[in-house]
Amino acid sequence: MTPETLTPPLPARQHVSAARQAPIAEVLNLSKSFGSDSAAVTALANVTLRLEAGSFTAIMGPSGSGKSTLMHIMAGLDSATSGTVSLGGTDITRLDDRALTLLRRRRIGFVFRSFNLVPTLDARQNILLPFELDGHTPDAEESARMLTLVDALGLTARLGHRPHELSGGQQQRVAIARALVTRPDLVFADEPTGNLDSASSRDVLALLAAASREHDQSIAMVTHDPVAASFADRIVFLADGRVVDDRGPSSAHEISRLMLELEARA
Ligand SMILES: Nc1ncnc2c1ncn2[C@@H]1O[C@H](COP(=O)(O)OP(=O)(O)OP(=O)(O)O)[C@@H](O)[C@H]1O
């Protein structure tokens, strides 16, 4: 497959220049501790981070540096000890559980290492699950969007297949289609290539990069893999719950070097 065939031919977003001016996600002075007193663990210490609309950001750092905690709080899956997180201008730290559930359903997409597809549903039903969960029948535009996405992801002939009938790479492409189909404000990808071989990994990363670059989809990806991070246009490094480096596109070699330095210090 060439990079061109990996590019989802989705309609370009409207008012891209206006969208680019405001951060799609803003984390201000975020701290998170687990436990209390002598058993307390500080997972995040005063993290401030802005993600621009349409950006593809990799979040890296040694084991235990706070990557998952940051992603969980940004996605409204865990609460902050202090600080705020805004998504598309909404302060999610002030929302109740019901509002958070709706926000996750409508404004956030997720791609996980283990694909997390529903085994009893075929690929089409898995992709359309966000609409189903929202009690919403896709309109003509949403159905057309689903079909163009499926075509771009090379899944057209697989729509009637259930997850166990698909390869790992195909399952992850179904998961990406499911994450993109509602055009969420932000897609969180948690080690999306962790279970894939290197050829499927590159396909998946090229698809995520194309969704960001060509269709203004904002993506935040947690990864340990320097090759995966080299597909992003920004790399944020955490160590001991703090942002210790924040840089633009970098080669896998440069990222590897920095990770080794951070791990040696951890
Ligand atoms: N539920 C919890 N209870 C207690 N401590 C926790 C909990 N979740 C995370 N921690 C601690 O918070 C710190 C940050 O953990 P986190 O999982 O965010 O790191 P990570 O960078 O995602 O690690 P990894 O790369 O190994 O997945 C670690 O010291 C961890 O042990």
Side-chain angles (χ1 to χ4, degrees), residues 49-265:
L49 185 65
R50 288 178 187 81
L51 302 186
E52 304 302 321
S55 60
F56 181 14
T57 305
I59 299 169
M60 299 198 82
S63 183
S65 58
K67 304 179 294 294
S68 303
T69 305
L70 175 62
M71 193 170 72
H72 289 159
I73 298 176
M74 288 181 75
L77 292 165
D78 199 354
S79 60
T81 302
S82 60
T84 59
V85 174
S86 298
L87 204 67
T90 304
D91 179 355
I92 68 166
T93 48
R94 292 172 189 278
L95 298 180
D96 60 24
D97 282 351
R98 189 174 171 279
L100 270 179
T101 302
L102 283 181
L103 175 123
R104 276 198 300 274
R105 206 176 275 165
R106 295 179 180 168
R107 292 168 56 183
I108 299 177
F110 291 95
V111 179
F112 299 96
R113 174 192 175 106
S114 49
F115 320 137
N116 286 22
L117 301 177
V118 179
T120 50
L121 301 181
D122 66 21
R124 179 198 302 275
Q125 292 165 327
N126 267 288
I127 294 168
L128 293 175
L129 198 59
F131 294 116
E132 175 83 26
L133 290 174
D134 208 21
H136 168 81
T137 305
D139 62 22
E141 192 187 327
E142 288 161 340
S143 299
R145 172 179 169 73
M146 185 251 184
L147 291 176
T148 51
L149 249 178
V150 159
D151 181 43
L153 295 172
L155 292 168
T156 306
R158 303 284 172 178
L159 280 178
H161 292 219
R162 285 193 285 169
H164 75 272
E165 298 168 317
L166 301 171
S167 70
Q170 288 165 342
Q171 289 186 57
Q172 195 59 304
R173 282 185 272 145
V174 171
I176 289 174
R178 182 181 61 185
L180 296 178
V181 77
T182 55
R183 312 206 81 192
D185 285 346
L186 186 56
V187 168
F188 288 101
D190 189 2
E191 295 281 359
T193 57
N195 270 333
L196 301 179
D197 62 30
S198 54
S200 298
S201 293
R202 280 172 191 277
D203 284 357
V204 158
L205 293 162
L207 286 163
L208 292 174
S212 154
R213 194 177 52 244
E214 289 157 33
H215 306 290
D216 216 33
Q217 177 62 61
S218 313
I219 301 170
M221 171 176 73
V222 167
T223 183
H224 287 100
D225 178 3
V227 173
S230 70
F231 280 74
D233 46 43
R234 178 182 177 193
I235 304 143
V236 174
F237 292 87
L238 296 182
D240 294 328
R242 297 172 194 278
V243 175
V244 292
D245 204 297
D246 187 348
R247 56 179 66 198
S250 306
S251 68
H253 180 71
E254 287 170 299
I255 297 165
S256 240
R257 199 167 40 81
L258 193 56
M259 280 295 286
L260 285 171
E261 271 175 42
L262 292 176
E263 278 160 7
R265 276 191 249 152

